[in-house]
Amino acid sequence: MAKSGVLPDHAIRSLIESRAILATSPILDAQVQPASLDLRLGRYAWRVRASFLAGRDRRVSARLEEFAMHRIDLSEGAVLEKGCVYLIELAESLALPKGITAVANAKSSTGRLDLLTRTITDGGTEFDRIPEAYRGPLYAEVCPRSFSVLVREGQRLNQIRFRAGEARLSDADLAKLHQEVPLVDGTPVISEGLGFSVDLRPTEGTLAGYRAKPHTGVIDLDRIAHYPARDFWEEVHSEDGSIILDPGAFYILVSREAVTIPPDHAAEMAPYLAMVGEFRVHYAGFFDPGFGHDAAGGQGSRGVLEVRCHEAPFVLEHGQVVGRLVYERMSSPPGRIYGADLKSNYQGQGLKLAKQFR
Protein backbone atom coordinates (compact mmCIF):
# COMPACT_ATOMS: atom_id res chain seq x y z
CA MET A 1 0.00 0.00 0.00
CA ALA A 2 1.37 3.39 -0.98
CA LYS A 3 1.76 6.05 1.68
CA SER A 4 -1.35 8.23 1.93
CA GLY A 5 -1.44 11.14 -0.49
CA VAL A 6 -1.40 12.09 -4.16
CA LEU A 7 0.83 9.78 -6.16
CA PRO A 8 3.88 11.45 -7.77
CA ASP A 9 5.41 10.80 -11.20
CA HIS A 10 7.53 7.80 -10.19
CA ALA A 11 4.52 6.11 -8.58
CA ILE A 12 2.49 6.73 -11.75
CA ARG A 13 5.24 5.03 -13.75
CA SER A 14 5.01 2.07 -11.36
CA LEU A 15 1.27 1.87 -12.07
CA ILE A 16 2.06 1.79 -15.78
CA GLU A 17 4.68 -0.94 -15.34
CA SER A 18 2.28 -3.04 -13.25
CA ARG A 19 -0.45 -2.58 -15.90
CA ALA A 20 -2.77 -0.77 -13.53
CA ILE A 21 -2.72 1.86 -16.29
CA LEU A 22 -3.12 0.43 -19.78
CA ALA A 23 -3.12 1.99 -23.25
CA THR A 24 -3.72 1.14 -26.88
CA SER A 25 -0.21 2.42 -27.69
CA PRO A 26 2.85 2.92 -25.46
CA ILE A 27 2.41 5.71 -22.91
CA LEU A 28 4.81 8.57 -23.63
CA ASP A 29 7.17 9.90 -20.99
CA ALA A 30 5.86 13.39 -21.76
CA GLN A 31 2.41 12.32 -20.54
CA VAL A 32 3.68 11.82 -16.99
CA GLN A 33 3.47 15.09 -15.07
CA PRO A 34 4.73 15.70 -11.50
CA ALA A 35 1.39 14.61 -9.98
CA SER A 36 -0.81 13.51 -12.87
CA LEU A 37 -0.98 11.66 -16.18
CA ASP A 38 -2.12 13.29 -19.41
CA LEU A 39 -4.80 11.27 -21.20
CA ARG A 40 -4.87 10.92 -25.00
CA LEU A 41 -7.83 11.04 -27.35
CA GLY A 42 -8.54 7.76 -29.10
CA ARG A 43 -9.38 7.35 -32.77
CA TYR A 44 -13.15 7.79 -32.66
CA ALA A 45 -15.52 10.45 -31.39
CA TRP A 46 -19.31 10.23 -31.29
CA ARG A 47 -21.60 13.20 -31.64
CA VAL A 48 -24.23 12.63 -28.96
CA ARG A 49 -27.64 14.18 -28.36
CA ALA A 50 -26.90 15.10 -24.76
CA SER A 51 -24.39 14.76 -21.96
CA PHE A 52 -24.87 11.59 -19.93
CA LEU A 53 -23.37 9.34 -17.27
CA ALA A 54 -23.29 5.56 -17.65
CA GLY A 55 -25.10 4.94 -14.36
CA ARG A 56 -24.58 2.18 -11.83
CA ASP A 57 -23.85 -1.24 -13.39
CA ARG A 58 -24.13 0.15 -16.94
CA ARG A 59 -21.50 0.52 -19.65
CA VAL A 60 -20.80 3.69 -21.59
CA SER A 61 -20.78 1.70 -24.85
CA ALA A 62 -24.35 0.54 -24.17
CA ARG A 63 -25.52 4.10 -23.44
CA LEU A 64 -23.91 5.25 -26.71
CA GLU A 65 -26.47 3.17 -28.56
CA GLU A 66 -29.12 5.42 -27.02
CA PHE A 67 -27.46 8.80 -27.53
CA ALA A 68 -24.99 8.60 -30.45
CA MET A 69 -25.90 10.46 -33.64
CA HIS A 70 -22.84 9.60 -35.74
CA ARG A 71 -19.22 8.50 -35.40
CA ILE A 72 -16.25 10.68 -36.37
CA ASP A 73 -12.74 9.42 -37.25
CA LEU A 74 -10.09 11.58 -35.53
CA SER A 75 -7.05 9.93 -37.14
CA GLU A 76 -6.80 12.70 -39.77
CA GLY A 77 -8.32 15.41 -37.59
CA ALA A 78 -11.91 16.59 -37.27
CA VAL A 79 -13.76 19.71 -36.18
CA LEU A 80 -15.78 19.60 -32.97
CA GLU A 81 -18.41 22.29 -33.38
CA LYS A 82 -19.28 24.91 -30.81
CA GLY A 83 -22.36 24.04 -28.77
CA CYS A 84 -22.31 20.32 -29.60
CA VAL A 85 -21.53 17.42 -27.26
CA TYR A 86 -19.06 14.66 -28.18
CA LEU A 87 -17.90 11.48 -26.51
CA ILE A 88 -14.38 10.23 -27.23
CA GLU A 89 -12.92 6.97 -25.99
CA LEU A 90 -9.47 7.63 -24.54
CA ALA A 91 -6.33 5.67 -25.39
CA GLU A 92 -5.77 4.89 -21.70
CA SER A 93 -7.80 2.51 -19.53
CA LEU A 94 -7.46 1.47 -15.88
CA ALA A 95 -7.17 -1.63 -13.71
CA LEU A 96 -6.69 0.12 -10.38
CA PRO A 97 -5.62 -1.81 -7.28
CA LYS A 98 -7.58 -1.54 -4.06
CA GLY A 99 -6.82 1.60 -2.08
CA ILE A 100 -6.09 3.74 -5.16
CA THR A 101 -8.70 6.19 -6.42
CA ALA A 102 -8.43 8.74 -9.20
CA VAL A 103 -9.82 12.11 -10.19
CA ALA A 104 -9.65 13.69 -13.64
CA ASN A 105 -9.77 17.29 -14.80
CA ALA A 106 -9.24 19.40 -17.90
CA LYS A 107 -5.73 20.58 -18.68
CA SER A 108 -5.05 24.31 -18.28
CA SER A 109 -5.13 25.16 -21.98
CA THR A 110 -8.34 23.17 -22.42
CA GLY A 111 -10.11 25.25 -19.77
CA ARG A 112 -8.79 28.53 -21.17
CA LEU A 113 -10.44 27.68 -24.49
CA ASP A 114 -13.78 27.13 -22.70
CA LEU A 115 -13.59 23.55 -23.93
CA LEU A 116 -15.69 21.67 -21.37
CA THR A 117 -13.95 18.29 -20.95
CA ARG A 118 -15.09 15.72 -18.40
CA THR A 119 -14.16 12.09 -17.85
CA ILE A 120 -16.77 9.35 -17.58
CA THR A 121 -16.42 5.64 -16.79
CA ASP A 122 -18.43 2.46 -16.96
CA GLY A 123 -20.76 2.36 -13.96
CA GLY A 124 -20.04 6.01 -13.24
CA THR A 125 -22.55 8.16 -11.37
CA GLU A 126 -20.49 11.37 -11.39
CA PHE A 127 -18.04 13.06 -13.71
CA ASP A 128 -14.27 12.96 -13.23
CA ARG A 129 -14.32 10.63 -10.20
CA ILE A 130 -12.93 7.09 -10.50
CA PRO A 131 -13.44 4.69 -7.55
CA GLU A 132 -10.83 2.34 -6.15
CA ALA A 133 -10.30 -0.94 -8.01
CA TYR A 134 -11.99 0.45 -11.14
CA ARG A 135 -11.33 -1.72 -14.17
CA GLY A 136 -12.44 -0.48 -17.54
CA PRO A 137 -12.22 2.15 -20.26
CA LEU A 138 -12.10 5.92 -19.90
CA TYR A 139 -14.05 8.36 -22.05
CA ALA A 140 -13.85 12.12 -22.47
CA GLU A 141 -17.03 14.12 -22.89
CA VAL A 142 -16.06 17.23 -24.85
CA CYS A 143 -18.29 20.24 -25.43
CA PRO A 144 -16.76 23.33 -27.11
CA ARG A 145 -18.63 26.25 -25.59
CA SER A 146 -16.97 29.36 -27.10
CA PHE A 147 -14.94 28.16 -30.10
CA SER A 148 -15.11 25.29 -32.58
CA VAL A 149 -11.87 23.30 -32.42
CA LEU A 150 -9.91 20.95 -34.67
CA VAL A 151 -8.78 17.88 -32.72
CA ARG A 152 -6.78 14.77 -33.59
CA GLU A 153 -6.19 11.31 -32.21
CA GLY A 154 -3.47 11.41 -29.56
CA GLN A 155 -4.08 14.97 -28.38
CA ARG A 156 -4.24 15.52 -24.63
CA LEU A 157 -7.22 17.51 -23.35
CA ASN A 158 -7.56 16.13 -19.83
CA GLN A 159 -5.44 14.56 -17.12
CA ILE A 160 -5.84 12.16 -14.24
CA ARG A 161 -4.49 12.26 -10.69
CA PHE A 162 -4.18 9.20 -8.45
CA ARG A 163 -4.59 9.08 -4.67
CA ALA A 164 -3.86 6.60 -1.92
CA GLY A 165 -6.12 7.13 1.08
CA GLU A 166 -6.89 10.64 2.36
CA ALA A 167 -4.79 13.45 0.92
CA ARG A 168 -6.72 16.66 1.54
CA LEU A 169 -5.40 19.16 4.08
CA SER A 170 -7.73 20.41 6.80
CA ASP A 171 -8.01 24.16 7.30
CA ALA A 172 -5.82 23.84 10.40
CA ASP A 173 -3.15 21.98 8.42
CA LEU A 174 -3.39 24.55 5.64
CA ALA A 175 -2.87 27.42 8.08
CA LYS A 176 0.15 25.64 9.52
CA LEU A 177 1.59 25.06 6.05
CA HIS A 178 1.19 28.77 5.24
CA GLN A 179 3.27 29.60 8.32
CA GLU A 180 6.03 27.33 7.05
CA VAL A 181 5.82 28.21 3.33
CA PRO A 182 3.77 31.32 2.44
CA LEU A 183 1.09 30.08 0.04
CA VAL A 184 -0.10 33.56 -1.00
CA ASP A 185 1.50 37.00 -0.93
CA GLY A 186 -0.78 38.39 1.73
CA THR A 187 -3.18 37.35 4.46
CA PRO A 188 -4.68 33.96 3.51
CA VAL A 189 -8.44 33.40 3.41
CA ILE A 190 -8.78 29.82 4.66
CA SER A 191 -12.17 28.12 4.60
CA GLU A 192 -12.47 24.63 3.11
CA GLY A 193 -9.30 25.47 1.20
CA LEU A 194 -7.39 28.61 0.31
CA GLY A 195 -9.66 31.33 -1.04
CA PHE A 196 -8.52 33.56 -3.85
CA SER A 197 -9.95 36.77 -5.24
CA VAL A 198 -10.11 38.52 -8.59
CA ASP A 199 -7.72 41.28 -9.68
CA LEU A 200 -9.56 44.15 -11.37
CA ARG A 201 -7.02 46.86 -10.56
CA PRO A 202 -4.02 46.17 -12.85
CA THR A 203 -0.71 47.63 -11.70
CA GLU A 204 -0.22 49.03 -15.20
CA GLY A 205 -2.96 50.22 -17.53
CA THR A 206 -6.60 49.13 -17.34
CA LEU A 207 -6.59 45.72 -19.05
CA ALA A 208 -8.28 43.37 -16.56
CA GLY A 209 -9.19 40.39 -18.74
CA TYR A 210 -10.62 39.05 -21.95
CA ARG A 211 -14.11 38.08 -23.15
CA ALA A 212 -14.60 35.45 -25.84
CA LYS A 213 -16.03 36.75 -29.11
CA PRO A 214 -19.27 35.02 -30.13
CA HIS A 215 -18.49 34.41 -33.84
CA THR A 216 -15.00 33.22 -34.67
CA GLY A 217 -13.08 30.75 -36.82
CA VAL A 218 -11.90 27.25 -35.90
CA ILE A 219 -8.93 26.76 -33.54
CA ASP A 220 -6.47 23.98 -34.45
CA LEU A 221 -5.24 22.83 -31.05
CA ASP A 222 -1.82 21.87 -32.44
CA ARG A 223 -1.03 25.42 -33.58
CA ILE A 224 0.90 27.08 -30.77
CA ALA A 225 1.22 30.89 -30.62
CA HIS A 226 -0.52 30.97 -33.99
CA TYR A 227 -3.81 32.86 -33.69
CA PRO A 228 -3.99 36.64 -33.13
CA ALA A 229 -5.80 37.12 -29.84
CA ARG A 230 -7.85 40.00 -31.27
CA ASP A 231 -9.61 37.61 -33.68
CA PHE A 232 -11.05 35.56 -30.82
CA TRP A 233 -11.10 37.82 -27.76
CA GLU A 234 -12.31 41.26 -26.74
CA GLU A 235 -10.26 43.12 -24.16
CA VAL A 236 -12.02 43.88 -20.88
CA HIS A 237 -10.88 47.10 -19.20
CA SER A 238 -11.57 48.35 -15.70
CA GLU A 239 -10.92 51.87 -14.50
CA ASP A 240 -12.82 51.70 -11.21
CA GLY A 241 -12.02 48.17 -10.02
CA SER A 242 -15.20 46.54 -11.31
CA ILE A 243 -16.67 44.97 -14.42
CA ILE A 244 -20.18 43.81 -15.35
CA LEU A 245 -20.35 40.20 -16.45
CA ASP A 246 -22.74 39.55 -19.34
CA PRO A 247 -25.01 36.47 -19.08
CA GLY A 248 -23.67 33.61 -21.15
CA ALA A 249 -20.31 35.26 -21.80
CA PHE A 250 -16.97 33.59 -21.04
CA TYR A 251 -14.13 35.57 -19.44
CA ILE A 252 -10.45 35.07 -18.74
CA LEU A 253 -9.46 36.96 -15.59
CA VAL A 254 -6.64 36.59 -13.07
CA SER A 255 -6.36 36.17 -9.33
CA ARG A 256 -5.16 39.04 -7.15
CA GLU A 257 -3.01 36.63 -5.14
CA ALA A 258 0.25 35.07 -6.27
CA VAL A 259 -0.05 31.40 -5.35
CA THR A 260 2.61 28.89 -4.31
CA ILE A 261 2.31 25.09 -4.29
CA PRO A 262 5.17 23.55 -2.25
CA PRO A 263 6.99 20.63 -3.95
CA ASP A 264 5.54 18.10 -1.48
CA HIS A 265 1.94 19.22 -2.08
CA ALA A 266 -0.52 19.50 -4.94
CA ALA A 267 -3.75 21.47 -5.33
CA GLU A 268 -6.99 21.54 -7.26
CA MET A 269 -9.09 24.58 -8.07
CA ALA A 270 -12.68 24.35 -6.88
CA PRO A 271 -15.63 26.70 -7.51
CA TYR A 272 -16.66 28.98 -4.69
CA LEU A 273 -20.10 28.90 -3.11
CA ALA A 274 -22.87 29.61 -5.61
CA MET A 275 -24.45 32.09 -3.20
CA VAL A 276 -21.77 34.71 -3.89
CA GLY A 277 -23.32 35.63 -7.24
CA GLU A 278 -24.66 34.64 -10.64
CA PHE A 279 -21.37 33.41 -12.03
CA ARG A 280 -19.13 30.39 -11.80
CA VAL A 281 -15.39 29.96 -11.93
CA HIS A 282 -14.81 27.25 -14.51
CA TYR A 283 -13.13 24.00 -13.56
CA ALA A 284 -9.56 25.15 -14.04
CA GLY A 285 -7.80 21.93 -13.23
CA PHE A 286 -4.85 20.74 -11.24
CA PHE A 287 -1.97 22.74 -9.80
CA ASP A 288 1.21 20.66 -9.77
CA PRO A 289 3.88 20.54 -7.05
CA GLY A 290 6.21 23.50 -7.56
CA PHE A 291 3.67 25.81 -9.25
CA GLY A 292 4.72 29.33 -8.29
CA HIS A 293 7.54 28.00 -6.10
CA ASP A 294 10.91 29.78 -5.97
CA ALA A 295 12.84 26.55 -6.52
CA ALA A 296 11.11 26.10 -9.88
CA GLY A 297 11.41 29.70 -11.05
CA GLY A 298 7.84 30.58 -10.14
CA GLN A 299 8.29 33.15 -7.35
CA GLY A 300 4.52 33.14 -6.93
CA SER A 301 2.25 32.58 -9.92
CA ARG A 302 -1.21 34.01 -10.18
CA GLY A 303 -4.14 31.77 -10.98
CA VAL A 304 -5.97 32.33 -14.23
CA LEU A 305 -9.75 32.38 -13.69
CA GLU A 306 -12.15 31.01 -16.29
CA VAL A 307 -15.44 32.71 -15.48
CA ARG A 308 -18.92 32.32 -16.95
CA CYS A 309 -21.90 34.45 -15.94
CA HIS A 310 -25.31 32.77 -15.79
CA GLU A 311 -28.81 34.14 -15.34
CA ALA A 312 -28.36 37.89 -14.83
CA PRO A 313 -25.71 40.57 -15.38
CA PHE A 314 -23.43 40.63 -12.36
CA VAL A 315 -21.04 43.27 -11.02
CA LEU A 316 -17.70 41.69 -10.17
CA GLU A 317 -15.47 43.83 -7.97
CA HIS A 318 -11.76 43.91 -7.25
CA GLY A 319 -10.81 41.66 -4.35
CA GLN A 320 -14.02 39.64 -4.42
CA VAL A 321 -13.39 36.03 -3.42
CA VAL A 322 -14.35 33.86 -6.40
CA GLY A 323 -12.75 30.46 -5.83
CA ARG A 324 -10.57 28.28 -3.66
CA LEU A 325 -7.61 26.00 -3.91
CA VAL A 326 -7.89 22.65 -2.17
CA TYR A 327 -4.40 21.55 -1.10
CA GLU A 328 -3.38 17.90 -0.81
CA ARG A 329 -0.32 16.08 0.48
CA MET A 330 1.86 14.14 -1.92
CA SER A 331 2.54 10.55 -0.87
CA SER A 332 6.18 11.39 -1.68
CA PRO A 333 7.87 14.25 -3.56
CA PRO A 334 7.90 13.97 -7.36
CA GLY A 335 11.10 13.46 -9.30
CA ARG A 336 10.51 16.76 -11.12
CA ILE A 337 8.39 19.72 -10.13
CA TYR A 338 6.34 22.10 -12.24
CA GLY A 339 8.54 24.45 -14.24
CA ALA A 340 11.80 22.64 -13.50
CA ASP A 341 13.13 20.99 -16.68
CA LEU A 342 9.55 20.74 -17.93
CA LYS A 343 7.99 22.74 -20.74
CA SER A 344 5.60 24.45 -18.33
CA ASN A 345 3.58 27.06 -20.21
CA TYR A 346 2.18 28.92 -17.23
CA GLN A 347 4.92 29.12 -14.59
CA GLY A 348 5.31 32.68 -13.31
CA GLN A 349 2.13 33.64 -15.15
CA GLY A 350 -0.11 36.63 -14.86
CA LEU A 351 -3.11 37.30 -17.10
CA LYS A 352 -2.53 34.88 -19.96
CA LEU A 353 -4.61 33.31 -22.70
CA ALA A 354 -4.23 29.71 -23.89
CA LYS A 355 -0.99 28.81 -25.65
CA GLN A 356 -2.63 28.79 -29.11
CA PHE A 357 -2.86 32.62 -29.11
CA ARG A 358 -0.30 35.33 -29.71
Side-chain angles (χ1 to χ4, degrees):
M1 173 65 72
K3 182 181 176 183
S4 178
V6 173
L7 301 191
D9 46 12
H10 52 84
I12 293 172
R13 291 190 176 93
S14 294
L15 290 177
I16 296 169
E17 292 170 3
S18 67
R19 298 183 63 78
I21 303 173
L22 303 150
T24 55
S25 61
I27 294 175
L28 307 174
D29 185 64
Q31 289 177 247
V32 182
Q33 304 300 321
S36 62
L37 176 72
D38 291 348
L39 301 172
R40 296 169 295 178
L41 300 181
R43 179 172 179 177
Y44 295 110
W46 289 265
R47 167 81 165 88
V48 293
R49 292 187 288 119
S51 172
F52 67 90
L53 290 164
R56 194 174 306 280
D57 299 325
R58 304 191 69 178
R59 294 182 180 275
V60 174
S61 57
R63 303 307 303 272
L64 265 174
E65 295 177 6
E66 301 175 50
F67 297 107
M69 298 171 66
H70 61 270
R71 191 177 75 169
I72 304 165
D73 191 330
L74 301 183
S75 59
E76 298 299 325
V79 173
L80 305 185
E81 296 186 14
K82 173 183 171 181
C84 297
V85 183
Y86 301 86
L87 190 74
I88 306 173
E89 186 168 11
L90 297 171
E92 289 73 30
S93 58
L94 299 176
L96 293 179
K98 289 185 177 180
I100 302 296
T101 61
V103 59
N105 216 321
K107 290 175 62 65
S108 294
S109 290
T110 306
R112 294 181 201 210
L113 290 170
D114 199 18
L115 192 57
L116 179 63
T117 303
R118 303 186 287 193
T119 302
I120 65 174
T121 62
D122 286 348
T125 57
E126 57 183 335
F127 293 106
D128 290 331
R129 296 296 187 265
I130 297 103
E132 66 172 330
Y134 174 75
R135 290 176 173 267
L138 299 172
Y139 297 82
E141 177 195 280
V142 181
C143 179
R145 303 192 67 186
S146 289
F147 313 113
S148 295
V149 294
L150 176 61
V151 303
R152 297 176 181 83
E153 180 182 9
Q155 286 179 334
R156 310 196 293 262
L157 301 186
N158 56 344
Q159 55 194 339
I160 191 167
R161 180 172 280 180
F162 301 92
R163 296 190 183 103
E166 181 57 46
R168 182 170 175 168
L169 267 64
S170 67
D171 285 350
D173 290 337
L174 193 57
K176 181 179 179 182
L177 179 63
H178 178 73
Q179 294 298 318
E180 299 169 356
V181 182
L183 303 178
V184 290
D185 56 341
T187 302
V189 176
I190 296 176
S191 178
E192 298 186 20
L194 179 69
F196 55 85
S197 60
V198 63
D199 184 3
L200 296 177
R201 293 188 185 277
T203 54
E204 296 182 6
T206 60
L207 179 63
Y210 298 90
R211 178 174 52 219
K213 289 187 174 181
H215 308 292
T216 66
V218 173
I219 296 172
D220 183 338
L221 299 186
D222 280 343
R223 295 192 170 185
I224 308 304
H226 176 78
Y227 298 99
R230 64 179 179 273
D231 291 346
F232 294 83
W233 300 92
E234 299 172 352
E235 292 186 350
V236 176
H237 291 266
S238 173
E239 296 183 355
D240 63 355
S242 69
I243 60 174
I244 297 178
L245 301 178
D246 293 326
F250 177 74
Y251 296 81
I252 295 293
L253 305 173
V254 70
S255 72
R256 184 177 62 166
E257 298 83 5
V259 177
T260 294
I261 312 296
D264 55 352
H265 287 76
E268 181 179 358
M269 187 181 287
Y272 205 57
L273 297 176
M275 65 185 70
V276 301
E278 290 293 332
F279 68 92
R280 182 182 183 87
V281 175
H282 198 263
Y283 295 104
F286 299 139
F287 285 63
D288 275 333
F291 179 87
H293 195 265
D294 289 353
Q299 300 169 334
S301 294
R302 296 202 282 170
V304 167
L305 311 177
E306 300 143 11
V307 177
R308 180 176 294 281
C309 186
H310 292 308
E311 301 299 329
F314 185 80
V315 177
L316 193 61
E317 298 181 311
H318 178 75
Q320 184 168 345
V321 176
V322 294
R324 57 196 168 94
L325 278 178
V326 176
Y327 279 70
E328 298 179 299
R329 298 180 184 84
M330 298 294 296
S331 65
S332 61
R336 295 184 296 176
I337 59 177
Y338 188 90
D341 302 322
L342 296 172
K343 293 181 180 179
S344 304
N345 291 291
Y346 305 117
Q347 183 71 295
Q349 71 180 353
L351 178 64
K352 189 172 183 180
L353 295 171
K355 60 188 177 183
Q356 288 82 8
F357 300 105
R358 57 179 168 83

